[in-house]
Amino acid sequence: MRPPAAPTSAGQAARRVRILRAASELGSRDGLDGIQMHDVAKEAGVAIATLYRYFPSKPFLFLAVLEWHIEEFLGDGDGGLGADVGDTLVALSGKLLGNRQLASAVALASFTEYAAAVPARIDIVERPLGQRLLRLLGDRKDAPSRVRLLVYTWWGLFVGMLTEEISTARGEADLRLAARLIAAP
């Protein structure tokens, strides 16, 4: 699979966001299996070639949707979040789980595309969530390793809550405990 193109102008960046917004709306309504790439292109008002230029596959598109929702949640600066790692991750889980159909779509896409997309991608520490957690952990030599542990723990608990393998209350409590243990001095 070829790597996705990055927007190089404000117009291209706006087009990319229209695609992500359209995929989010369709994913919220129809789930991952109920969506065709043509539907996303039509909803976003772009040519199918433009869609594939930025997102080489449907799972890759929904991985980008997940990252986009995380970026939107975190916003610039603190985004109203406190300095507690556990609270930040619990709030993010709650936001994503607020739309279970879309949460299922992005989780399924991550499982589908993991082997092809993730190893070639930037380290999770470099993604917006990783950067936020680095700031919350402060200046520690082992902070990148702790961030990876936090993100992988968060993702596992998020999926457990999404699939109802664990209750939301249990997942949130476990996430706060894991954050306390991993972020401890």
Side-chain angles (χ1 to χ4, degrees):
M1 176 184 329
R2 67 158 185 78
T8 58
S9 70
Q12 289 176 345
R15 208 169 297 126
R16 184 177 187 278
V17 168
R18 280 200 328 265
I19 293 167
L20 293 169
R21 187 171 286 120
S24 293
E25 290 170 9
L26 291 169
S28 294
R29 188 182 69 220
D30 302 327
L32 188 66
D33 291 337
I35 298 171
Q36 300 296 315
M37 292 293 269
H38 286 285
D39 299 332
V40 175
K42 183 178 176 183
E43 182 78 17
V46 301
I48 191 71
T50 301
L51 175 62
Y52 279 110
R53 177 175 183 251
Y54 296 119
F55 308 102
S57 69
K58 185 168 61 169
F60 200 96
L61 169 61
F62 277 86
L63 282 174
V65 166
L66 173 63
E67 288 186 4
W68 181 62
H69 278 275
I70 290 171
E71 289 172 18
E72 291 288 306
F73 173 77
L74 295 174
D76 294 327
D78 285 341
L81 297 174
D84 183 77
V85 172
D87 288 344
T88 298
L89 295 173
V90 165
L92 175 59
S93 296
K95 170 70 172 146
L96 294 173
L97 290 169
N99 186 330
R100 286 183 114 52
Q101 184 83 327
L102 183 58
S104 293
V106 298
L108 183 58
S110 74
F111 302 142
T112 304
E113 197 67 13
Y114 183 81
V118 174
R121 299 177 79 174
I122 297 171
D123 185 2
I124 58 172
V125 174
E126 300 300 320
R127 307 307 309 158
L129 180 58
Q131 290 296 297
R132 169 63 61 85
L133 295 174
L134 272 177
R135 284 195 307 273
L136 291 174
L137 289 175
D139 192 24
R140 299 179 189 185
K141 187 174 88 171
D142 64 350
S145 293
R146 289 177 188 240
V147 165
R148 284 184 204 91
L149 287 169
L150 285 164
V151 171
Y152 292 139
T153 300
W154 165 73
W155 183 252
L157 290 167
F158 170 76
V159 170
M161 290 183 284
L162 175 63
T163 60
E164 298 179 348
E165 292 293 319
I166 58 174
S167 70
T168 301
R170 176 79 270 146
E172 289 176 356
D174 289 351
L175 188 50
R176 283 192 171 93
L177 173 61
R180 246 187 344 269
L181 294 172
I182 295 169

